């Protein structure tokens, strides 16, 4: 069985992420979306909240699962018996960081390879941080995140701003 891992912080999952996950689901028998810790980021949603949103967003894709893991991606991939890490690339600016991560992950787990899917052009400018900025100021994010989680993100972030 060909298993791929789609890792990320998913804070929150966007339509850009979902596009990559959907396309990966056509290439592999099973895709596991893994919510991992990015030490360089301070998330707005807890890991459980992010996982819950992902589960709702991928509910209609039968060969996609999601879970959280607090550790190294290379270790997680080994644990899940996967041999491929799938990442999306939006622009050349993503490349240097992703290239370094791919090399490190292959050093840590030589049995796994990273493959990059090019973003669909309509999602090129999209990022979780952009979505959060728009939602905090009460903007419409319905073109950027899955419909089933749109309200939760807007409510939560606009409330957070009012509490500040
Ligand atoms: O969506 P992101 O924030 O770009 O995803 C980055 C993520 C979470 C995939 C990356 O930070 C990661 O793999 N974290 C787990 C720890 C790890 O394996 N680090 C790489 C070796 S230093």
């Amino acid at each position: 069985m060909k298993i791929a891992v789609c890792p990320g912080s998913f804070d929150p999952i966007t339509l850009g992420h979902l596009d990559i996950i959907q396309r990966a689901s056509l290439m592999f028998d099973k895709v596991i979306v893994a919510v991992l810790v990015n030490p360089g980021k301070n998330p707005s949603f807890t890991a459980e909240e992010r996982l819950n949103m992902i589960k709702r967003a991928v509910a209609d894709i039968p060969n996609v699962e999601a879970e959280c893991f607090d550790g190294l991606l290379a270790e997680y991939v080994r644990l899940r018996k996967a041999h491929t890490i799938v990442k999306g690339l939006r622009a050349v600016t993503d490349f240097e960081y992703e290239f370094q991560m791919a090399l490190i992950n292959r050093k840590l787990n030589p049995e796994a390879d990273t493959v990059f899917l090019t973003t669909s052009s309509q999602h090129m400018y999209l990022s979780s941080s952009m979505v959060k900025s728009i939602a905090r100021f009460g903007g419409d994010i319905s073109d950027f995140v899955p419909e089933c989680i749109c309200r939760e993100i807007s409510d939560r972030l606009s409330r957070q701003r009012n509490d500040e």
Side-chain angles (χ1 to χ4, degrees):
M1 190 191 252
K2 283 200 162 105
I3 304 174
V5 171
C6 267
S9 354
F10 303 106
D11 185 46
I13 186 169
T14 67
L15 288 180
H17 293 129
L18 191 56
D19 171 58
I20 298 293
I21 294 164
Q22 259 158 351
R23 285 159 58 201
S25 76
L26 302 175
M27 298 171 183
F28 297 91
D29 298 311
K30 181 157 94 175
V31 172
I32 309 174
V33 182
V35 180
L36 297 172
V37 178
N38 182 340
K41 290 182 182 169
N42 186 15
S44 303
F45 295 90
T46 66
E48 284 69 30
E49 285 170 332
R50 286 177 271 155
L51 178 64
N52 183 278
M53 287 191 272
I54 294 168
K55 283 187 170 166
R56 282 149 57 201
V58 302
D60 59 349
I61 320 176
N63 60 336
V64 175
E65 298 172 5
E67 64 181 6
C68 297
F69 184 70
D70 186 6
L72 284 175
L73 171 59
E75 206 46 55
Y76 178 76
V77 167
R78 201 192 320 270
L79 213 68
R80 286 283 162 262
K81 299 184 171 27
H83 296 284
T84 314
I85 296 164
V86 176
K87 297 225 75 180
L89 275 187
R90 285 167 302 190
V92 270
T93 43
D94 284 344
F95 186 73
E96 200 173 325
Y97 170 72
E98 293 296 347
F99 186 63
Q100 186 184 15
M101 292 294 276
L103 289 173
I104 288 175
N105 284 323
R106 202 141 103 90
K107 173 77 181 157
L108 295 174
N109 179 353
E111 290 173 10
D113 250 312
T114 300
V115 301
F116 294 106
L117 296 186
T118 320
T119 181
S120 298
S121 54
Q122 73 269 29
H123 299 130
M124 260 187 85
Y125 56 87
L126 194 51
S127 69
S128 297
S129 42
M130 284 290 176
V131 166
K132 287 189 284 187
S133 292
I134 298 166
R136 273 196 195 103
F137 291 102
D140 179 7
I141 56 166
S142 58
D143 280 346
F144 310 133
V145 297
E147 197 189 339
C148 58
I149 60 169
C150 188
R151 171 57 76 86
E152 177 177 338
I153 298 168
S154 299
D155 285 356
R156 169 66 184 286
L157 292 177
S158 57
R159 205 173 341 116
Q160 208 172 56
R161 180 163 180 260
N162 292 335
D163 290 347
E164 280 166 6

